[in-house]
Every structure is written in structure tokens, then in C-alpha cells.
Amino acid sequence: MFVLSPSRSILFRPLPKPISHKPPKCSDSAPPFIKENCYHYPFDAANKLNRFGLKPSTRSHGPIQNPNIILDHQITNTSLKARAFAINNEAGTTPHCVVLDIEGTTTPISFVTDVLFPYARDNVRMHLNETYDTVDTKDDIELLRSQVEDDLKTGVVGAVPVPSDDAGKEEVIAALVANVEGMIKADRKITSLKQLQGHIWRTGFEKNEIKGVVYDDVPEALERWHASGVKVYIYSSGSRLAQRLIFGYTNYGDLRKYLCGFFDTRVGNKRETKSYVEIAESLGVDKPSDILFITDVVQEAVAAKAAGLEVIISVRPGNGPLPENHGYDTIKTFTEIPF
């Protein structure tokens, strides 16, 4: 048990067990199921509250529950930021995770709409021609065929039948290009399109024709969270390959060393609660509220909150307007997150 003075200095603490204090080692290719444990002394959260000068607000998210800390007064009615995600992590086995959206959260929406999408649209025909017989492209074509068949059945505007391979390479590619252009124009969040886009972008990044863009506050925040043992994941409608490319070839260098895993639409639609339930189960947290999800889309925030995650909405230049009285904490930069 720890005893703190009114100024939050430690008056008494037991001798710590011999544990590692190194931050979790995260690989840029690490799967979502990460086994390393984050270790935090239970008094860290209280010290963070004092260090950032945080005061209780009128919005109640419940008291900090940590039986290993005795304060000179009971902290209640604190906001999401003021709680600073104090971890009830007595045995050092409960992960403390941040899951980040990309567009409008770590990266300007304009980078996606004005750089990535046009690059994929302008290069889809050339990419398919040059890679037609590769394993990746054959898989892309089969996924697109299946998607187009569904689109034709449901009457999706702009869907064009894709002929069989017997029709010849040029006929197949022409149909695929027509469908892909329509999908990009409609900004469809479907796996078949995102997978193909990822393969096209890979060529662009590797040729230095594309450079990933992140906001200026993102690298410092990722480094800070990594150093303090907070595990950071990405959840985006873009493919996991595309996510790794964006963070691997940024204007600040390779940031993948700070990331522990990537989720895409294979885990589910970002506006569906079950997707966040799956993510929470994958990360192995004791409770979903051990995860902070940051997004710029209210519908995604609603879905994540319904799954039990903590949520902050990112308000960046160029993001869409938020509805009034949406009820979520907001930030303009990651520097506003007090941990």
C-alpha cells in the first residue's frame, strides 16, 4: 500500500518486486495479439494528476478506483482527461492501450483525399497491367470480382460486370478499372478496394513518389506513450498494409517502432460496436475501459463507447463539423492528453 502526502509526495511505499521497467517492444509487423505486459507502479496515476495540475470537473465519469493508493481526499467527478487513465494494475498484467484512427486524427484528411486516393485512381490500370500474374494481384482480382457480384445483385450504381479470365487480360482490367474508379469516387470502405489500394500505394511509397504525413504532435506523443509503457494500435478502414506504409514512410521517418499492431475492416466496420468488442478481446484487457480510442467521427465514437472503450474525439483542421451536444471529450492535439 502507498501513502501520499497532500502534495502527492510518497510518504511510504513497499519494496518493489524485481520487474522490468522497459517499455513493451513493439514490432512494425506485430499482430494485434501482443503478449508483453505493461508495468506501472500504482502511484504513477496519482503523480500524473498532480504533475499536470488537473482539477475535478463537473462532468462525472466516476471516481478513480485504485485500492493501492490512499489520498488525503477522495478524487471524484473527474473528467476523462483528469482521470489520466489511472490503471488499477496491481499485478502488472492489465494492458493500458491507445487505439488511434488515422484520417483526421493522426493524419490530415486532405492527405488521403488529395494524395492517396488520386494516386491509386491514376495508377490502377498500370499497376494491374504490370502485376497481373502475381499472387497479390490475382488475390485482389478475386476479391474485387466477388464484391462486384454482390454490388450487381444489390443494384449499386456504377457496378460493371467483370468477365472471366477467358475473356483476356485487357477486358478484365478494363472492367476492374471502371469498378475501382467508381468505388474510390464513392469512398467505399470495403476490403477488396482497400487491399488493392494498399498494393498500389506500396509501389508509390517504395519509389518515394508518396511520403506519409502526420500532424506535428503525433511523433512526440507516440514516443512518449511508448516510453511510458502505453501500447499504441491503429484502427483504420485502410488495409493494414496501407497503415504500415503511412507510418513507415512519414515526414518524420519510420514511426512503426512505436506501434504494437494494426486493425482494418477485417475486424469489422468502424461504426459497429462488435468491431470494438473484438478489438478489446484481441488486446487482452481486463475491461474495455482500459482502452482509449481517438477518432474524428462521432458514429465511431458512439460504437466504441457502446463497447465500453473510453473515447476522445479529435478536432483537427479540415475535419467535418461535430453535432451539438455530442457528449464526448475533444482535443485539438495529442499534447492535450495528460499521459
Side-chain angles (χ1 to χ4, degrees):
M1 180 174 292
F2 296 85
V3 179
L4 306 183
S5 72
S7 64
R8 302 301 189 276
S9 61
I10 300 169
L11 300 179
F12 170 79
R13 69 179 179 186
L15 291 175
K17 295 179 180 180
I19 58 177
S20 171
H21 296 277
K22 294 182 179 180
K25 183 178 181 181
C26 299
S27 168
D28 60 271
S29 60
F33 303 86
I34 305 297
K35 297 182 179 180
E36 300 100 325
N37 293 325
C38 292
Y39 296 100
H40 301 269
Y41 281 119
F43 55 82
D44 280 352
N47 283 339
K48 288 176 182 176
L49 290 175
N50 182 57
R51 181 178 2 131
F52 287 96
L54 298 169
K55 298 179 181 180
S57 74
T58 57
R59 183 174 178 186
S60 175
H61 290 265
I64 295 176
Q65 300 294 325
N66 195 328
N68 290 320
I69 298 178
I70 298 177
L71 302 178
D72 60 315
H73 64 282
Q74 183 180 14
I75 300 176
T76 59
N77 297 326
T78 53
S79 71
L80 176 62
K81 297 174 186 177
R83 285 196 299 146
F85 290 86
I87 302 172
N88 184 10
N89 189 14
E90 182 175 359
T93 57
T94 302
H96 177 195
C97 307
V98 174
V99 177
L100 300 172
D101 172 47
I102 294 180
E103 289 183 63
T105 300
T106 67
T107 299
I109 293 176
S110 59
F111 171 71
V112 178
T113 58
D114 299 343
V115 178
L116 291 184
F117 285 178
Y119 187 90
R121 182 192 63 231
D122 297 343
N123 289 276
V124 60
R125 185 181 298 274
M126 180 178 67
H127 174 82
L128 291 174
N129 266 311
E130 292 180 353
T131 65
Y132 190 79
D133 293 320
T134 65
V135 174
D136 282 346
T137 296
K138 285 184 178 296
D139 186 41
D140 292 342
I141 291 173
E142 288 308 307
L143 278 177
L144 286 167
R145 269 206 183 99
S146 178
Q147 181 64 57
V148 171
E149 288 175 1
D150 291 342
D151 291 348
L152 291 170
K153 291 177 183 177
T154 56
V156 173
V157 177
V160 177
V162 179
S164 67
D165 291 339
D166 295 337
K169 175 180 175 180
E170 295 303 321
E171 292 295 323
V172 172
I173 290 177
L176 290 171
V177 170
N179 282 288
V180 169
E181 288 178 345
M183 293 172 178
I184 292 175
K185 184 176 181 180
D187 191 19
R188 297 183 65 185
K189 313 292 186 181
I190 48 179
T191 300
S192 56
L193 173 63
K194 298 303 180 181
Q195 179 172 301
L196 174 63
Q197 285 177 321
H199 291 147
I200 297 173
W201 292 331
R202 177 173 60 192
T203 300
F205 278 106
E206 290 175 349
K207 290 182 177 180
N208 289 320
E209 295 175 347
I210 308 175
K211 181 72 71 174
V213 176
V214 296
Y215 291 110
D216 293 340
D217 55 282
V218 171
E220 187 276 334
L222 294 180
E223 183 177 6
R224 182 177 74 247
W225 292 334
H226 178 72
S228 63
V230 177
K231 297 179 181 180
V232 183
Y233 300 84
I234 303 298
Y235 181 28
S236 172
S237 58
S239 68
R240 285 179 292 181
L241 170 60
Q243 296 173 35
R244 291 195 295 269
L245 291 169
I246 290 173
F247 288 96
Y249 296 85
T250 80
N251 48 328
Y252 284 92
D254 191 346
L255 301 177
R256 290 174 297 178
K257 59 188 175 184
Y258 302 127
L259 303 174
C260 292
F262 303 84
F263 295 95
D264 60 13
T265 52
R266 292 181 186 274
V267 80
N269 189 292
K270 292 184 70 181
R271 301 189 180 194
E272 295 181 0
T273 297
K274 62 182 181 181
S275 304
Y276 300 91
V277 172
E278 178 65 27
I279 288 174
E281 292 178 351
S282 298
L283 298 185
V285 293
D286 283 347
K287 52 187 183 299
S289 59
D290 288 331
I291 304 171
L292 168 62
F293 177 57
I294 307 177
T295 180
D296 66 310
V297 180
V298 170
Q299 293 89 336
E300 295 174 6
V302 171
K305 191 66 177 178
L309 280 65
E310 295 288 2
V311 176
I312 291 178
I313 291 182
S314 171
V315 181
R316 301 281 196 174
N319 287 10
L322 297 174
E324 294 184 4
N325 304 316
H326 55 75
Y328 294 97
D329 291 284
T330 62
I331 55 170
K332 294 182 179 180
T333 75
F334 287 174
T335 59
E336 298 176 47
I337 301 175
F339 65 90

